[in-house]
Amino acid sequence: MTLSDIADSREKYGIKNLGEGMSTQGEELQRLRRSSPFNEDKDIVGFEEITKSLVAELLKEDRNRCVVSIVGMGGAGKTTLAKKVYNHADVRARFNCRAWVCVSSSYDHKEMLRSIIKQLDQISKEPLEVLEQMEEQDLEQRLYQDLQDKCYLVVLDDIWKEEAWDCLARAFPDVNTSSRLLLTSRNRDVAQHADALNKPHELKTLGQEDSWQLFLRKALGHGDNAGCPPDLEEVGIQIARRCGGLPLAITVIGGLLLAKKKLKSEWEKVLNSFNTNLSKSQSGVSAILELSYADLPANLKFCFLYLGLFPEDHVISVRKLIHMWVAEGIMQKRDAVNLEETAAYDDVERLCSRNIVRVAEMTVDERIKSCRVHDLVRELAIRKAKDEIFFQIHDTRDDEISAKSRYLAVHSLPWVKNYFGSSTPPLRSLLFFNIRIYEENISLRFKSFRKLRILDLENVEMYSNLPKEIGEVRLLRYLGLRGKLSIMHRFKIAHPVGLRITSSTRLPHSFGRLRNLQTLDIRTHATVIVPNFIWKLESLRHLYAYDMECDVPLKIEGLRNLQTLSGIRFDDIMHNNMLTLTSLQKLGIWVDDRSEIDKLCMHLSEVGSLTTLHLYSTRGRGRPTLAGLSKLHHVTELKLSGLWLMLPPDFPPNLSRLALKHTHLTDDPMPVLEKLGRLSFLKMKDAYDGRQLIISRHGFHQLKFLELSRLNHLDEIKAEKGALPQLLCMRIRNCGRLRKLPEELKHISTLDTLELVDMPKDSISRLAADTAFSVPNLRIFYS
């Protein structure tokens, strides 16, 4: 059966149409990052000597700018090795500014320059929109000037062409500061072209012993020095040898075996698959990837192939991916409580555990936030998709859109209005990636897209109205308009968060005909004017907005499938009978000094499905008082964003997760928060302007995860004996003045992980020295 058959025959597989996920605002810098040093593979073997050599070369006493290169075949571990070197303690201490960018075969020069600028100058207050408007020559000059007095290290990962190096090289000054460029490439000629005086470091395949140790870690899930069950050892050695010493091949085959029972017969089946099906035509990593793909269940094959639509080295939001998979109708309800999005997240975890998909970023409580695929794995997905005419990727101006395409990803756009030619393909998904159209519009004949389920226009720049004909796409389930100010017609209005002037966008009335729409993402950087049609979208499950405005009170009553609603205003909530929203789980509301929070909480108190409440405070003269939250017995997660004078006088009684963002509290919040008896997760970002946080004896007796981010004035954290007795993970991100962690951390037996992210090198050295010997996992990252 083909994957197209799977998509069309959902009833045959018992697949229903139900549920969906969650929402938070992501930062623009995350969009710019592709491959990232943030998640370094913990299972690294065989790189000890070459790591020492690379570090020594980066640190050698030579004031000239030097290029250090790692070359090797695909799957040999070049990126993994580069991450290990990039995060090496001596390297961090040497270079006062660092950046990482993935070049890939289809690079965007301006995007790479923007990404490097933002990473090298993270304290800059310059809006990203300013960089977006700069021309290529201006970006090069800006970067060149920024680096004049810096001892910098920039990693150029996965560079394919000499032309790509030539474009970037002129932006990196050679000014006697001992700066370094570290590049990885499959092409030795590229490395020698970049610096003919330095011999590239060739990454060889792993030796037999290193291959075996990596295989055991991935296939059995064990740590160092863990042996193999005797009955599995002989067949395991044969499988490991078939991987040819390539870390990617070993990792993927290990993930395949990890998902199977630890039986000799199961491992022999895998070995026999090599010997019978693949040995005649393929070898090495290609054979491993083919075998791993063949072993996937039918629904996971569809999910895997769908990943091939995303650009090379693209960081993929897991939440977005889940929405798309659910909209495709391929997810199956697992039980009465967990809906399709739970099944979709499980499938993301299954693909990651098989090492087919890589984790790009995780939350502090170890949920997968974003992922990506190795370029060899993506090539497999594209190859398999072409075999079945499953999807098409449009990435050159000369490509023609096939009349048979059902899933189309547009990575570049021709400057013609008649985009699809004389015929319109029977598309189910149409995805655009960072397409910039300055005066022309995309010629989309919406009336012809009778089968379209997914339309994603994230970050597409269009300077004319979104066509009214979009209402004719009656089967549409996912519509993504997130990103640019220019997504629709613009005009100036006063923004509700203050006196500054910003743009506004308006949705056409025809949206009201999209009765099958499940997810509508209108998180633009402008207020979105929404005609009063939302109540007509009877299938709607997730409505994401930063800020919505309606000429009349926005009606949302009767949306029994709605699970997520963000960016709505206080007055609109109060005008609706919220009891009719029987599936509502997550709600984000704009409030101001006129908002009566006590009445709001009473209004929401009987909405039994509501578990997450996010209140955004505007920048008016006064502040709303947060009385009444104790009425919300069903709420277990509370998020407070914006400027507040003080913490609420009370909290939801069953609160387990709390996030404070941009609150700029002046009084230490810990004496209040530590008494929340059920609190297990606390995140504070730009939340407190004081110099000390003090946690008293037995404070936070249930807290397991603590993240402190951008507390720019924080010097010290103190904790009395007996505080934080259940803490598992503590993440400190971008707290540049922090000098001291609590001594009590050394005595918390449950504490497994301390993460230091984007911290100054002197702070890292001091904090790491204080805690390294007492915390099992000390992780230091730069994003």
Side-chain angles (χ1 to χ4, degrees):
M1 172 176 286
T2 67
L3 287 157
S4 299
D5 293 331
I6 295 172
D8 282 336
S9 304
R10 298 187 304 277
E11 293 80 5
K12 182 175 181 179
Y13 291 88
I15 296 173
K16 310 295 182 183
N17 289 324
L18 289 165
E20 205 138 333
M22 55 188 293
S23 147
T24 58
Q25 179 177 353
E27 297 186 4
E28 187 73 0
L29 181 58
Q30 179 65 26
R31 178 182 69 81
L32 294 180
R33 286 208 311 265
R34 298 194 290 177
S35 74
S36 165
F38 191 83
N39 279 284
E40 186 178 345
D41 192 343
K42 292 175 287 186
D43 293 327
I44 300 176
V45 298
F47 289 169
E48 290 79 10
E49 292 304 316
I50 193 170
T51 298
K52 291 179 183 178
S53 178
L54 284 163
V55 169
E57 188 164 353
L58 290 174
L59 301 181
K60 68 182 180 182
E61 295 298 327
D62 186 345
R63 296 192 63 82
N64 294 319
R65 186 200 74 182
C66 298
V67 180
V68 181
S69 303
I70 305 170
V71 297
M73 67 177 67
K78 299 183 295 298
T79 299
T80 300
L81 175 58
K83 290 178 184 179
K84 187 175 179 67
V85 172
Y86 186 84
N87 287 315
H88 192 281
D90 294 339
V91 172
R92 292 196 312 268
R94 173 66 172 273
F95 297 97
N96 59 18
C97 63
R98 305 183 307 153
W100 178 293
V101 65
C102 181
V103 182
S104 80
S105 59
S106 54
Y107 60 92
D108 184 324
H109 187 208
K110 289 199 289 187
E111 286 296 303
M112 289 188 292
L113 291 170
R114 291 188 192 103
S115 178
I116 295 170
I117 290 170
K118 293 302 293 184
Q119 292 178 68
L120 293 176
D121 191 16
Q122 293 191 27
I123 63 173
S124 172
K125 301 301 182 184
E126 186 174 42
L128 194 66
E129 287 75 12
V130 175
L131 294 179
E132 289 281 352
Q133 301 303 321
M134 293 175 69
E135 295 299 326
E136 186 173 302
Q137 185 175 353
D138 297 328
L139 289 167
E140 289 178 2
Q141 185 175 0
R142 161 69 189 271
L143 179 55
Y144 191 89
Q145 291 298 323
D146 284 353
L147 296 177
Q148 283 297 310
D149 58 345
K150 303 290 196 311
C151 176
Y152 61 84
L153 169 65
V154 177
V155 176
L156 305 176
D157 186 35
D158 194 25
I159 186 166
W160 285 60
K161 303 172 184 176
E162 295 178 4
E163 297 80 37
W165 163 258
D166 291 337
C167 286
L168 288 166
R170 54 180 177 258
F172 300 114
D174 187 357
V175 285
N176 297 318
T177 57
S178 300
S179 295
R180 302 289 184 264
L181 295 161
L182 176 62
L183 67 84
T184 72
S185 181
R186 298 187 199 181
N187 189 340
R188 188 181 185 89
D189 291 340
V190 171
Q192 292 180 326
H193 175 76
D195 192 333
L197 299 179
N198 280 331
K199 182 179 179 182
H201 293 253
E202 186 169 357
L203 189 54
K204 305 289 186 181
T205 55
L206 296 179
Q208 186 172 330
E209 181 57 32
D210 287 333
S211 294
W212 178 239
Q213 289 302 317
L214 180 59
F215 174 82
L216 291 180
R217 295 186 192 188
K218 298 300 185 181
L220 300 176
H222 295 164
D224 293 335
N225 302 316
C228 181
D231 61 322
L232 298 178
E233 186 167 354
E234 182 180 351
V235 63
I237 289 173
Q238 293 185 62
I239 294 173
R241 285 176 177 169
R242 291 299 304 268
C243 295
L246 287 170
L248 177 63
I250 297 169
T251 296
V252 171
I253 201 66
L256 187 156
L257 293 171
L258 187 63
K260 296 184 177 296
K261 295 179 180 179
K262 303 301 180 284
L263 298 175
K264 183 178 181 180
S265 59
E266 290 290 324
W267 284 31
E268 285 178 336
K269 288 179 183 178
V270 173
L271 180 61
N272 292 334
S273 294
F274 275 120
N275 297 333
T276 59
N277 298 327
L278 302 173
S279 59
K280 295 181 180 179
S281 59
Q282 295 171 315
S283 61
V285 67
S286 178
I288 299 291
L289 295 177
E290 288 276 357
L291 182 61
S292 186
Y293 171 77
D295 189 67
L296 292 175
N299 71 305
L300 275 187
K301 285 182 178 177
F302 182 99
C303 294
F304 169 71
L305 291 190
Y306 206 87
L307 293 171
L309 288 165
F310 292 83
E312 185 178 351
D313 291 305
H314 190 81
V315 176
I316 305 168
S317 163
V318 168
R319 184 178 302 115
K320 179 175 181 176
L321 194 60
I322 286 172
H323 290 330
M324 289 181 166
W325 286 352
V326 171
E328 283 293 343
I330 61 171
M331 288 299 130
Q332 189 170 6
K333 183 180 176 183
R334 303 278 165 94
D335 55 56
V337 178
N338 295 315
L339 301 178
E340 290 159 312
E341 56 274 292
T342 304
Y345 181 80
D346 289 346
D347 285 346
V348 172
E349 286 195 321
R350 289 165 69 190
L351 289 171
C352 289
S353 69
R354 287 171 175 259
N355 297 310
I356 295 176
V357 173
R358 295 181 170 184
V359 175
E361 186 172 359
M362 299 189 76
T363 62
V364 68
D365 53 344
E366 298 187 336
R367 282 186 61 86
I368 303 172
K369 184 177 180 180
S370 59
C371 63
R372 65 186 185 92
V373 294
H374 191 282
D375 52 1
L376 292 180
V377 177
R378 178 175 176 267
E379 288 169 12
L380 171 67
I382 293 173
R383 188 165 64 249
K384 290 295 182 182
K386 284 184 178 178
D387 289 345
E388 304 183 31
I389 321 179
F390 178 70
F391 67 64
Q392 182 176 357
I393 295 174
H394 185 78
D395 54 11
T396 70
R397 296 185 179 183
D398 297 327
D399 286 349
E400 292 184 2
I401 305 302
S402 170
K404 296 181 179 180
S405 292
R406 306 182 66 198
Y407 303 88
L408 176 62
V410 180
H411 297 175
S412 70
L413 196 66
W415 292 91
V416 294
K417 292 185 177 181
N418 192 13
Y419 182 50
F420 288 103
S422 58
S423 62
T424 303
L427 294 176
R428 294 175 62 98
S429 290
L430 177 56
L431 283 62
F432 293 83
F433 292 94
N434 294 322
I435 301 299
R436 289 171 170 79
I437 315 162
Y438 297 102
E439 294 181 359
E440 299 290 336
N441 198 357
I442 302 175
S443 178
L444 296 176
R445 292 198 291 269
F446 285 110
K447 291 183 179 180
S448 302
F449 292 144
R450 300 297 184 185
K451 296 184 178 181
L452 194 67
R453 266 76 166 173
I454 294 175
L455 176 60
D456 185 26
L457 293 165
E458 180 171 345
N459 289 320
V460 171
E461 292 183 351
M462 291 192 297
Y463 285 105
S464 57
N465 292 329
L466 194 69
K468 297 178 181 179
E469 291 76 17
I470 194 170
E472 301 300 321
V473 191
R474 301 300 177 91
L475 295 181
L476 197 64
R477 296 176 183 170
Y478 177 99
L479 178 57
L481 302 174
R482 184 177 181 177
K484 300 297 180 186
L485 288 174
S486 52
I487 196 71
M488 286 156 283
H489 183 65
R490 303 183 300 170
F491 55 93
K492 300 289 186 179
I493 64 166
H495 197 273
V497 298
L499 300 177
R500 65 188 178 92
I501 302 297
T502 186
S503 299
S504 178
T505 66
R506 181 179 293 273
L507 300 181
H509 285 81
S510 62
F511 270 53
R513 297 199 292 271
L514 301 177
R515 301 300 176 91
N516 290 293
L517 195 64
Q518 297 175 353
T519 300
L520 176 59
D521 191 341
I522 50 175
R523 285 175 290 184
T524 72
H525 299 291
T527 299
V528 178
I529 309 299
V530 181
N532 205 7
F533 62 75
I534 298 295
W535 63 274
K536 299 179 182 180
L537 307 180
E538 55 200 33
S539 299
L540 192 64
R541 303 175 185 179
H542 305 279
L543 174 54
Y544 298 137
Y546 290 147
D547 184 33
M548 290 186 295
E549 186 179 89
C550 189
D551 298 332
V552 297
L554 188 63
K555 183 179 178 182
I556 55 175
E557 291 178 3
L559 295 178
R560 299 186 180 276
N561 293 303
L562 190 65
Q563 298 175 36
T564 306
L565 174 61
S566 64
I568 193 169
R569 302 189 180 192
F570 170 85
D571 290 340
D572 290 325
I573 288 290
M574 299 303 291
H575 277 94
N576 282 274
N577 180 4
M578 300 301 289
L579 293 179
T580 65
L581 276 63
T582 54
S583 299
L584 186 65
Q585 299 173 22
K586 308 176 196 308
L587 177 61
I589 309 172
W590 280 102
V591 297
D592 58 26
D593 56 317
R594 296 175 292 104
S595 303
E596 298 180 77
I597 305 300
D598 189 61
K599 289 185 178 180
L600 172 68
C601 293
M602 179 64 73
H603 193 59
L604 299 175
S605 62
E606 299 300 320
V607 184
S609 59
L610 184 64
T611 59
T612 299
L613 178 64
H614 192 168
L615 298 178
Y616 323 95
S617 173
T618 62
R619 296 176 181 268
R621 292 182 179 179
R623 303 284 176 265
T625 58
L626 288 171
L629 290 173
S630 60
K631 299 183 179 72
L632 301 176
H633 290 265
H634 300 288
V635 170
T636 59
E637 181 173 0
L638 178 65
K639 303 177 183 180
L640 301 176
S641 297
L643 195 63
W644 304 92
L645 290 177
M646 60 187 67
L647 287 173
D650 48 24
F651 286 87
N654 295 304
L655 191 68
S656 63
R657 298 173 66 91
L658 175 64
L660 304 176
K661 184 177 181 181
H662 304 313
T663 53
H664 291 284
L665 299 169
T666 54
D667 294 333
D668 183 355
M670 293 309 190
V672 174
L673 302 181
E674 68 182 12
K675 295 180 175 62
L676 298 177
R678 298 175 182 268
L679 197 66
S680 64
F681 176 101
L682 174 61
K683 180 176 181 179
M684 296 172 58
K685 180 178 181 180
D686 209 13
Y688 171 58
D689 291 337
R691 297 181 60 181
Q692 275 191 346
L693 290 173
I694 302 175
I695 304 171
S696 65
R697 181 179 179 84
H698 303 304
F700 293 113
H701 68 270
Q702 290 294 327
L703 195 69
K704 295 178 173 60
F705 305 98
L706 175 61
E707 180 171 351
L708 305 177
S709 176
R710 295 186 185 179
L711 304 185
N712 296 322
H713 302 283
L714 186 66
D715 290 328
E716 184 179 10
I717 305 171
K718 293 182 178 180
E720 297 179 0
K721 184 177 180 180
L724 300 162
Q726 302 294 322
L727 191 65
L728 296 174
C729 179
M730 184 175 187
R731 177 183 290 175
I732 300 175
R733 183 194 292 264
N734 210 345
C735 297
R737 295 183 59 177
L738 185 61
R739 304 295 177 185
K740 191 174 182 181
L741 290 174
E743 287 287 325
E744 182 58 25
L745 287 183
K746 301 175 183 178
H747 307 293
I748 300 175
S749 59
T750 58
L751 184 59
D752 178 73
T753 303
L754 173 64
E755 294 184 359
L756 303 176
V757 185
D758 293 338
M759 296 285 286
K761 60 184 180 181
D762 57 336
S763 296
I764 285 177
S765 300
R766 183 168 43 254
L767 300 176
D770 288 344
T771 57
F773 65 90
S774 60
V775 180
N777 294 297
L778 175 63
R779 300 174 183 167
I780 300 171
F781 300 115
Y782 289 88
S783 58

